[in-house]
Amino acid sequence: MTAIDPTAHLSAEQIEELGRELDAIRDEVIAARGEKDAAYIRKVISAQRKLELASRGILLFSFFPPAWIIGTAGLSVAKIMDNMEIGHNILHGQWDWMRDPKIHSTTWEWDHVSPSEQWKHSHNELHHTYTNVIGKDNDLGYGIMRVDEDQRWHPFHLGQPLWNFLNACFFEYGIAAYDLELGKNLHKRRRNNPEFRARARAVGRKIRKQVLKDYVIHPLLSGPSFLTTLAATFTANLVRNVWTHSVIMCGHFPEGVQVFERRSIKGETRGQWYLRQMMGSANISGSKAMHFMTGNLSHQIEHHLFPDLPSNRYAEVAVKVRALFEKYELDYVTGPLPKQVFSAWHKVFRLSLPNKKPKVKTPDREQELAAA
Amino acid sequence: MTSTALRSRAWKLMEMVTTPLLPSDYLDLVSPLRAGADLRGRIEAVHPETADAATLVIRPGRGWRGHTAGQYVRIGVDVDGVRLWRAYSLTSPTDRRDGRITITVKAIEDGKVSNHLVRRAVPGTLIHLDQPTGDFVLPQDTPAKVLYLTAGSGITPVMGMLRDTRFDDAVMVHCAPRPQDVIFRDELHDLAAGDKLRLTEVHTATDGILDIARLDALVPDWAERETWACGPAGLLDAAEKHWAEHGVPERLHTERFRAGVVATGDGGEVTFSATGKKADADGATPLLDIGEEAGVLMPSGCRMGICFGCVTPLKAGAVRDLRTGEITEAAPGVLIQTCVSAAAGPCDIER
Ligand code: FES
C-alpha cells in the first residue's frame, strides 16, 4: 500500500473502458478456442504420464548413480508439470469447456497433499476473488509473513526469512495447512467443528496416499534400490516444492506490486476489479520452456485477469494486455526469474525488520492492518 | 482366496502405485480399446454413401456387448475440441466376422456432429461409445409379412435389419428427395432384384411428401403387415394416426430420431430437480440467484464466473451465458456456471 496510488490518473470512465477492452480480449479467445487447444492439453497430459512412468522405471535401477540422476530429474519435471501446467489450470476450469469428464475441474486430482476440492476453494474462490486485499486474501504472506510496510511489526517477523525458506521446502504441506486454515482453526477452538474435522480427515487421507506411494511403495518396488529411490522421490518433491514456491512468490510479491485495503473493494465495478488484478500481479519473462514449466503462471497478470482461459493462450493475450497497460500508463511488473525471486526475497528480509511509520496513514487503515 | 478377490487386491495395489491417478489412466495411453476400459471405438474407415451421408466403420473396444438389428448407439465425438454425444442407428449385421460395426450418418443442416462425421472424420480417430440400446427391433420369431416405412436417414436402422435377417415377404416404402439422395440405393436395388424385397421409392422433390392414404395403393395389404416406421416426426405422426384409425395400432413400431428441439428464449420456468423446487426466471437474473431465492442450496464462490465453484449439471432446457450471450443446451455431462447463466427457456438444474 504505497502512499502514491499508481492508478490515480485514471478517471472512472477510463477504468470502465479498460474493463470493456479486457472483456473484448477474453471474448476473442473464447470464440477461437477449439481443437488445437484440446489437442494441446491432451498432449501435455500424455507427455507428463509417459515422463513419470519412464522416470519411475529408471529409478528401479537408481543404485546406479547415472540412473538416479536421470530418474530424479525426470520425476521432478513430471511433478512440476502435474502441479503447474496441468493441475493448477484444470482446477481453474480452464478446460471444462471440452466436456471431457477426465479433464475437468470437478474430477481432477493432482499429485499434491492438498485435496483438489479444498485447494479450489481457497485458491479459486478466495485468492482469485480477493487478490491482494489484506485480510481477505490469505495468499498474501500465507498468514505467517509481513508483506507490507503498513502492517504492524512484531518480533515474530524476525524469523520470516526462515519461515519462508521452510515453507518453500515443504510447500505442498504448507498449502494443505493453509487450505485448512489451520492457524485459525486450531487457535479459536474450532477444532471440534465437524466441517473442519471432515476436511482435516480428507487431507490426512490424501497425505497418507501420497506418502505411501512416494516413500513406501515405489521404494519397495525398487528392491535393492530401496534407499536410492526413496532419496530420489524426496529430492523430486523438494525440487517441485521449491520451484512452485518460487514461481508463486513471483506472482504477487515482487517490488512494484500493489496491495489493497479491505474497504477499497466495497462495491467494486468490473473495471475496478480488473484494475486490481492488473496492479496486484507480476509476471516472469523468459523462454517458451520457462513459461511452460511455470504452468504459464509466468503470465500471472493475464492469468489473474482471465483465470478461466486456457493457459496456452496467455502468451498471445499478454501482447494485447501489455498494450493496454501502456495505453493507460500503468506499470507492467515483469522481469526474469532470478530478478523476480530476488526481489521477492528481498522484500521478505526487509519487512522482517521494523520500519519507520509510513508517512500517509489513516487510523482506519492501521486498525485494519492490525486485524490482518 | 478366489481369483476375483485376488484380482481386486492386485488392483488396489496398482491404485496405490498410481495415486492420485488410476491405473487405467496409464493403460489408456497404450491400449484404449482393452477390456475393462471405458468403452471406446476407433474409426477405421469412412465410406461416402450420398452427397451428404457416409458410413463409418468402427472397431469397438473389447467391452462392446454386441447389438440387435435395429438398435442404435450413442457416440461421443470431439468436435472443435468439445465432446458432443449423439445417437446413430447401427447399420452393420450382428454377425460381422471382423467384429467391426458401422453407423451411417446423414449430415443435417447446422448439425455439428453429423457434418463433422460425414465431412471431416478421419480413420484412426478414437470416439466414445455407449452400449447399444433401443427396442426398434424384430421379435424373436420373424413375422411372415413385413412392411418398412422409412424416409431419409430413417432407412438406417432398417438397413441393419435387412442385412441381418432373411425375410419371406418384405415390402419397403422409402422416401427421399431425389434418387441420388437414397442412402444404400444400390444395395436396396440388389435386394429388390434378388426378390428379397419389394421396394417403392417416393421422390418427394418431384412427388411431394408421401400422403399416408396412398399406402392403400402402394401396399394394399399394409394392415396385415408387421410394420416398422422410421423418419421425420410428420411421417410418424401420420402413420400412428392412420394405423390407429384402422384399428391395428399394435402392428406399427416406430423410431423417432430427434428429441424435440429445445425452445430458446428469454427466461422460463426453472426446475431444481434434486430438491423438486420450481421458480420462474427472467432472462437476465443468474440462476444462482434464482435458486437461492427459491430456497435451494446452491454452491457458490466468487459469483462472477471465475472460480468454477458453482458448476451444476444442466439436465434439460437451455441457458444463456450472461457475459457472452452464448446458448448452452442440456445434454449428458453438460455443466454450467450458475452465477453467470440465465434461463433461455424452461430448464432443469440438478440441485
Ligand atoms: S460462483 Fe464463482 S464461477 Fe460461479
Side-chain angles (χ1 to χ4, degrees):
Chain A
M1 229 167 299
T2 41
I4 304 146
D5 177 2
T7 64
H9 62 286
L10 297 178
S11 69
E13 293 81 64
Q14 277 177 311
I15 294 174
E16 291 325 296
E17 176 58 21
L18 168 65
R20 278 190 293 277
E21 289 180 76
L22 286 166
D23 275 339
I25 294 176
R26 180 177 186 277
D27 292 350
E28 245 174 79
V29 175
I30 290 203
R33 223 166 38 179
E35 207 168 301
K36 271 198 194 136
D37 303 277
Y40 170 79
I41 190 64
R42 293 216 166 89
K43 201 172 93 194
V44 172
I45 291 173
S46 137
Q48 190 277 340
R49 286 177 186 168
K50 287 172 188 157
L51 178 62
E52 181 176 349
L53 271 182
S55 307
R56 299 236 188 227
I58 291 169
L59 286 176
L60 298 179
F61 309 97
S62 54
F63 57 81
F64 180 52
W68 190 90
I69 293 174
I70 296 170
T72 307
L75 189 58
S76 306
V77 173
K79 280 181 176 264
I80 288 172
M81 285 168 75
D82 173 274
N83 277 195
M84 305 297 267
E85 183 67 344
I86 301 173
H88 170 271
N89 295 334
I90 290 176
L91 294 178
H92 259 293
Q94 290 183 6
W95 302 98
D96 280 15
W97 58 274
M98 288 163 55
R99 295 187 186 167
D100 181 342
K102 297 218 161 153
I103 309 180
H104 200 276
S105 65
T106 53
T107 56
W108 192 263
E109 193 53 73
W110 57 350
D111 184 357
H112 196 284
V113 297
S114 178
S116 296
E117 213 39 57
Q118 298 193 20
W119 181 83
K120 271 193 295 183
H121 171 74
S122 60
H123 180 85
N124 292 4
E125 229 166 286
L126 303 181
H127 169 56
H128 272 270
T129 314
Y130 301 113
T131 312
N132 285 24
V133 175
I134 293 198
K136 281 247 171 196
D137 176 7
N138 294 329
D139 271 34
L140 219 55
Y142 304 109
I144 54 168
M145 281 190 291
R146 187 168 170 254
V147 291
D148 192 87
E149 260 77 12
D150 289 2
Q151 267 174 305
R152 182 173 293 165
W153 182 84
H154 193 275
F156 172 81
H157 291 128
L158 279 174
Q160 74 179 23
L162 180 64
W163 316 148
N164 200 36
F165 174 72
L166 290 175
N167 191 29
C169 295
F170 302 99
F171 194 45
E172 56 174 330
Y173 292 91
I175 294 284
Y178 159 78
D179 290 346
L180 274 175
E181 297 186 88
L182 210 52
K184 194 161 97 190
N185 282 312
L186 289 183
H187 262 56
K188 296 190 183 160
R189 289 166 211 253
R190 296 205 200 158
R191 252 170 293 183
N192 293 324
N193 174 324
E195 192 252 355
F196 167 70
R197 292 178 70 108
R199 290 199 297 127
R201 268 199 306 276
V203 174
R205 268 198 305 275
K206 188 79 195 289
I207 292 180
R208 200 171 59 234
K209 280 191 187 169
Q210 290 288 108
V211 167
L212 209 60
K213 167 184 76 161
D214 275 349
Y215 301 126
V216 179
I217 308 244
H218 283 283
L220 277 179
L221 287 174
S222 304
S225 296
F226 180 90
L227 281 180
T228 46
T229 299
L230 190 93
T233 349
F234 181 80
T235 309
N237 280 329
L238 186 71
V239 169
R240 183 262 315 264
N241 286 347
V242 171
W243 174 258
T244 52
H245 178 267
S246 304
V247 168
I248 285 157
M249 276 231 302
C250 291
H252 303 288
F253 267 48
E255 304 286 356
V257 172
Q258 307 295 310
V259 296
F260 307 88
E261 293 170 54
R262 209 191 286 220
R263 65 197 162 121
S264 73
I265 61 163
K266 278 236 178 74
E268 200 175 51
T269 64
R270 183 146 183 86
Q272 286 167 334
W273 183 84
Y274 270 137
L275 190 60
R276 176 158 57 84
Q277 306 304 325
M278 292 166 83
M279 303 319 294
S281 312
N283 280 5
I284 305 168
S285 57
S287 64
K288 271 203 170 146
M290 169 80 203
H291 293 309
F292 178 77
M293 289 307 286
T294 64
N296 278 297
L297 291 182
S298 47
H299 296 297
Q300 186 77 234
I301 298 174
E302 290 73 24
H303 172 58
H304 261 268
L305 290 170
F306 313 116
D308 59 343
L309 289 188
S311 57
N312 60 325
R313 294 302 190 101
Y314 285 147
E316 68 188 65
V317 164
V319 180
K320 297 176 193 166
V321 167
R322 198 162 182 166
L324 284 183
F325 268 84
E326 266 157 36
K327 178 172 166 193
Y328 290 92
E329 295 174 25
L330 296 166
D331 194 15
Y332 190 82
V333 182
T334 183
L337 184 76
K339 174 172 166 261
Q340 299 298 83
V341 170
F342 177 81
S343 173
W345 271 101
H346 186 243
K347 197 175 195 175
V348 170
F349 273 94
R350 182 161 52 78
L351 294 171
S352 68
L353 300 171
N355 50 275
K356 274 201 231 124
K357 288 239 161 165
K359 286 189 200 96
V360 183
K361 66 176 176 65
T362 56
D364 211 301
R365 174 190 290 178
E366 201 163 62
Q367 264 175 16
E368 201 162 331
L369 290 170
Chain B
M1 209 184 315
T2 66
S3 73
T4 25
L6 210 83
R7 209 175 309 149
S8 93
R9 280 265 175 104
W11 196 251
K12 281 260 161 61
L13 186 72
M14 282 286 282
E15 282 177 359
M16 287 164 92
V17 172
T18 60
T19 189
L21 300 181
L22 296 171
S24 58
D25 291 324
Y26 291 97
L27 292 172
D28 284 353
L29 292 175
V30 284
S31 176
L33 300 184
R34 73 187 188 283
D38 288 354
L39 190 56
R40 302 184 183 88
R42 177 172 276 125
I43 299 177
E44 294 199 333
V46 181
H47 302 302
E49 296 284 355
T50 65
D52 56 4
T55 292
L56 274 63
V57 182
I58 297 165
R59 168 169 300 287
R62 299 274 297 279
W64 176 255
R65 289 204 283 266
H67 72 284
T68 307
Q71 285 191 313
Y72 62 86
V73 59
R74 271 180 14 101
I75 69 170
V77 201
D78 292 336
V79 183
D80 289 336
V82 181
R83 180 145 324 149
L84 301 172
W85 288 83
R86 296 288 187 275
Y88 293 104
S89 296
L90 288 150
T91 48
S92 45
T94 53
D95 56 354
R96 199 174 146 130
R97 283 234 196 86
D98 60 8
R100 278 164 240 201
I101 54 171
T102 63
I103 56 171
T104 303
V105 180
K106 181 173 181 295
I108 52 175
E109 212 181 303
D110 295 329
K112 271 193 197 152
V113 177
S114 61
N115 278 289
H116 177 87
L117 289 177
V118 171
R119 309 193 201 285
R120 289 178 53 207
V122 287
T125 310
L126 273 185
I127 58 172
H128 298 259
L129 296 177
D130 270 353
Q131 294 294 348
T133 176
D135 43 21
F136 190 68
V137 295
L138 294 171
Q140 279 289 325
D141 304 315
T142 310
K145 293 170 91 179
V146 173
L147 166 63
Y148 288 119
L149 178 61
T150 56
S153 57
I155 185 77
T156 52
V158 168
M159 202 65 211
M161 294 188 203
L162 288 177
R163 283 172 173 168
D164 203 58
T165 312
R166 281 195 60 100
F167 294 99
D168 296 331
D169 180 359
V171 179
M172 171 183 274
V173 177
H174 179 64
C175 309
R178 300 164 305 172
Q180 63 267 40
D181 298 320
V182 175
I183 307 173
F184 311 123
R185 189 159 196 252
D186 291 348
E187 196 173 340
L188 288 173
H189 279 263
D190 285 349
L191 285 175
D195 65 33
K196 300 214 176 68
L197 181 73
R198 203 139 53 75
L199 174 71
T200 306
E201 282 181 42
V202 179
H203 299 134
T204 53
T206 44
D207 308 351
I209 281 188
L210 175 73
D211 176 0
I212 204 81
R214 276 181 65 202
L215 265 189
D216 288 330
L218 296 173
V219 191
D221 61 350
W222 67 267
E224 293 160 28
R225 292 177 176 269
E226 208 63 28
T227 300
W228 278 264
C230 184
L235 176 72
L236 299 185
D237 291 346
E240 273 166 6
K241 202 162 145 238
H242 196 65
W243 260 255
E245 275 167 5
H246 288 80
V248 283
E250 73 287 349
R251 296 253 162 92
L252 179 68
H253 314 271
T254 57
E255 173 95 316
R256 287 172 193 268
F257 276 159
R258 282 213 280 166
V261 176
V262 181
T264 60
D266 251 355
E269 188 185 52
V270 185
T271 309
F272 296 91
S273 48
T275 49
K277 298 210 163 113
K278 283 180 197 282
D280 276 321
D282 59 41
T285 312
L287 289 162
L288 176 58
D289 297 344
I290 302 278
E292 285 176 343
E293 252 158 61
V296 181
L297 192 63
M298 304 286 286
S300 71
C302 65
R303 310 187 76 96
M304 57 185 295
I306 59 163
C307 76
F308 286 66
C310 62
V311 290
T312 302
L314 176 65
K315 303 273 284 181
V319 300
R320 178 177 286 108
D321 188 315
L322 288 166
R323 300 165 300 179
T324 57
E326 196 192 342
I327 298 276
T328 302
E329 284 181 21
V334 169
L335 296 126
I336 54 155
Q337 289 169 278
T338 59
C339 70
V340 286
S341 303
C347 51
D348 183 339
I349 310 288
E350 197 182 271
R351 282 290 168 203

